[in-house]
Amino acid sequence: MTRTGEEHAGESPPGAGPWWWSRARGAVLDVTLAVASAGECAFEGVGFARDAVLPVPVGVVFGALAGSVLLLRRRWPIAVVLVSIAVLPAQMGFLLSIVGLYTLAASELPRRIIASLAGMSFVGTLIVTFVWVRQDVARGSLTVGDWVVPFASVTTAIGLTAPSLLLGLYVGARRRLMESLRERADSLERELQLLAERAEERAEWARNEERTRIAREMHDVVAHRVSLMVVHAAALQAVARKDPEKAVRNAALVGDMGRQALTELREMLGVLRSGVASAGASRGAATPLAAVGVAAAAAADRERAEEPVVEGPWLSELEELVGQSAAAGMVVDLSVEGESRAYAPEVEQTAYRVVQEALTNVHKHAAGAKTYVRLAHRVSEIAMQVENEPPPEAGSASSARLPSGGNGLVGMKERVSALGGVFVSGPTDAGGFRVSAVIPAA
C-alpha cells in the first residue's frame, strides 16, 4: 500500500525495512511468525515421520522448512496458502494456514482468487479432519456417535478458515478506506494550497492594477492643471512689468487652477482612504484555513465589482476645459457633431480625460500650435480627436520647459481599451500630432 501525506507519529517511514518489507517492524513480525510456524511444524513433523515410516530428522526438517514459508507471506501470499494446503495431509501447519489465509484476504488480489484458495483450504481441512477423526474412532481412541465425525470435520474446517478469512477481508477493506481518506485529505490540502496561491496571485494582480489606476488618475488630475499653471506662470513672468493688468489676470487663473487641482486631489484621496478603511475592516476577523482559497478568490472578484466610482469630470465641462487652454494662449477650435446625450460615467470621464491629456501634450510639446478638438456623438459610440498643427517654429517646445514622463499616451490607451474602445495616436503628414479615440456608448 502506498502512503501519502505526513507520516503518523511513531511509525517508520515507507521503504525503511529490508527487502520487500516497507517497515522494519513488519519484518520483525513476519520473522517471529515464521519462527513460531517453523517450530510448530517441526514438532508436528515428528508424528508425521513416524506415521510415514521416515527418519525423525527428515520429518523435523520438512516441517521446519514448510513452516518457515510464512516469512514470504507479504510477498507471495498465494504460495504460502498453497504450501499450507499441501501440508494439511501431514497434519501440520495450522498457524501457517491461519496466517496465510489472513494475509491473502487482506491483500489486493482479486476476490475470485481469494475465494478459490479459501475454498481449497476449507475443503482440504474438512477432508483431513474427517479422515483423522474417522481413524481415531476406528482405532478406538474415540468412542462417539457417527454424527460426531462430520460435525467435528465441518466445525474444525470453519474454525480454521472463516475467522482468519473474515478478519483479513475486514482489515484489507479498512486499510483501503484509510488510504482513500488519506489521498482525499492530501488532495484537498493540495487544492487548498493551489487556491491560496491563485488567490495570492490575484491579490497581487489587483494591487498592481490599483497602483496603475491610482497613477493614471493622479497623472490625469495633476498633469493638466499643473501644466496650465506652469504656462500661466511663464506668461506672468513675461508680462509682469509690461502689462500689469494681464499679469493680474494670469495670477488669478493660476490660483483658480491650483484650487481646482487641490479639490480634485482631495476628492480622490478621500475615495482612496475610504477604500483602505473598508478593506482593513474586512480583514479584522480571522479566516479559517479551509475557507482561505474560496474567500480570497471571491474577494478578489468582488473588489473590482464593488469599487466605488469616482465622481469625475463630464463632457458638459469640455468647453470649460478648452477655454482654459485658450486662456493660456493656445488657439483651439472645438466642434461637436451629433446630438449630445448622457453616457455612462466611466465613458464620459474617459472621453474627457483623453481630450484633457491631448491638450496637455500640446502645451508640453507644441506650444503655440493651433489645435482642433472634434467630438462626435454617434448611434452606438462616441468619437473624439485632438489634432494640432506644427508649432510656429519647427522643433520648438514650450517656453515653460514642462517635463514629460511619457505616460500620457499609455494612460489614454489603457483607459480606452478598458472600455472596449480603440485608441490611435501618431504624427500627421503636415508635421503635427493627432490623437483619436472611439469608445462604445454602452
Side-chain angles (χ1 to χ4, degrees):
M1 300 293 291
T2 57
R3 272 299 179 97
T4 56
E6 297 183 357
E7 296 299 323
H8 295 277
E11 291 188 0
S12 302
W19 296 339
W20 57 81
W21 287 282
S22 60
R23 293 175 179 81
R25 72 174 189 178
V28 173
L29 176 62
D30 288 355
V31 169
T32 303
L33 291 174
V35 171
S37 177
E40 177 208 348
C41 292
F43 177 76
E44 295 168 344
V46 176
F48 167 71
R50 291 173 180 174
D51 294 339
V53 193
L54 293 173
V56 174
V58 173
V60 172
V61 172
F62 174 75
L65 291 176
S68 62
V69 174
L70 197 59
L71 190 67
L72 310 176
R73 71 184 188 95
R74 296 180 190 266
R75 187 69 179 270
W76 295 294
I78 296 179
V80 173
V81 175
L82 290 176
V83 170
S84 69
I85 296 173
V87 299
L88 277 176
Q91 298 182 11
M92 64 174 62
F94 296 103
L95 179 61
L96 178 66
S97 176
I98 293 173
V99 178
L101 279 177
Y102 164 81
T103 306
L104 179 70
S107 67
E108 300 292 335
L109 291 172
R111 291 297 176 87
R112 63 178 183 276
I113 297 179
I114 297 175
S116 301
L117 292 176
M120 293 171 58
S121 179
F122 175 81
V123 173
T125 305
L126 178 66
I127 295 174
V128 170
T129 306
F130 182 85
V131 173
W132 178 42
V133 176
R134 190 66 179 267
Q135 288 177 351
D136 289 343
V137 172
R139 286 196 301 263
S141 301
L142 295 175
T143 55
V144 294
D146 295 338
W147 61 272
V148 175
V149 177
F151 176 78
S153 302
V154 173
T155 303
T156 303
I158 294 176
L160 292 177
T161 306
S164 56
L165 181 65
L166 295 177
L167 181 61
L169 291 174
Y170 167 76
V171 171
R174 184 177 179 277
R175 186 182 301 164
R176 286 187 290 272
L177 176 62
M178 295 301 296
E179 184 70 18
S180 175
L181 291 177
R182 289 194 189 100
E183 291 178 356
R184 290 180 62 183
D186 291 341
S187 176
L188 180 60
E189 183 177 357
R190 288 192 295 269
E191 289 179 2
L192 287 176
Q193 184 178 2
L194 182 60
L195 284 175
E197 292 176 356
R198 289 181 177 176
E200 181 62 26
E201 292 176 358
R202 296 179 72 175
E204 181 65 24
W205 174 81
R207 285 193 292 269
N208 292 335
E209 286 292 314
E210 187 65 13
R211 283 195 291 266
T212 303
R213 188 184 69 85
I214 292 173
R216 188 165 54 239
E217 289 290 338
M218 295 290 289
H219 178 274
D220 292 340
V221 169
V222 175
H224 182 73
R225 303 291 184 190
V226 175
S227 297
L228 291 180
M229 291 171 62
V230 173
V231 171
H232 281 292
L236 177 63
Q237 183 179 5
V239 302
R241 296 181 180 178
K242 299 178 181 178
D243 192 348
E245 293 183 0
K246 187 174 181 180
V248 171
R249 290 195 301 271
N250 287 340
L253 287 174
V254 171
D256 292 339
M257 292 177 185
R259 283 188 289 272
Q260 291 175 2
L262 288 176
T263 300
E264 293 183 3
L265 285 175
R266 190 178 298 112
E267 292 176 355
M268 181 182 299
L269 292 176
V271 172
L272 293 178
R273 286 174 179 171
S274 63
V276 172
S278 61
S282 64
R283 292 193 299 264
T287 305
L289 176 61
V292 167
V294 177
D301 290 336
R302 291 196 305 270
E303 182 176 351
R304 299 196 64 83
E306 298 176 359
E307 183 178 309
V309 179
V310 181
E311 291 295 336
W314 310 99
L315 287 177
S316 58
E317 304 173 13
L318 196 59
E319 293 185 3
E320 180 182 354
L321 175 67
V322 173
Q324 293 173 355
S325 295
M330 180 187 296
V331 180
V332 188
D333 181 17
L334 173 64
S335 65
V336 180
E337 301 176 3
E339 183 179 355
S340 178
R341 63 183 187 275
Y343 298 94
E346 58 270 18
V347 174
E348 294 207 17
Q349 292 166 17
T350 300
Y352 182 93
R353 295 299 187 192
V354 168
V355 177
Q356 182 186 55
E357 180 61 28
L359 293 176
T360 302
N361 287 340
V362 175
H363 283 291
K364 290 181 180 180
H365 306 292
K370 186 174 182 179
T371 306
Y372 302 92
V373 179
R374 302 287 183 266
L375 184 67
H377 300 277
R378 299 171 183 170
V379 177
S380 59
E381 61 188 16
I382 179 173
M384 63 227 65
Q385 183 183 89
V386 178
E387 180 180 351
N388 62 273
E389 297 178 352
E393 297 180 4
S396 67
S398 173
S399 60
R401 298 179 182 178
L402 292 169
S404 176
N407 297 318
L409 296 176
V410 175
M412 285 190 283
K413 185 174 182 179
E414 289 177 350
R415 282 181 175 274
V416 174
S417 299
L419 297 179
V422 178
F423 177 85
V424 179
S425 63
T428 62
D429 295 337
F433 199 85
R434 180 188 298 117
V435 172
S436 303
V438 179
I439 305 174

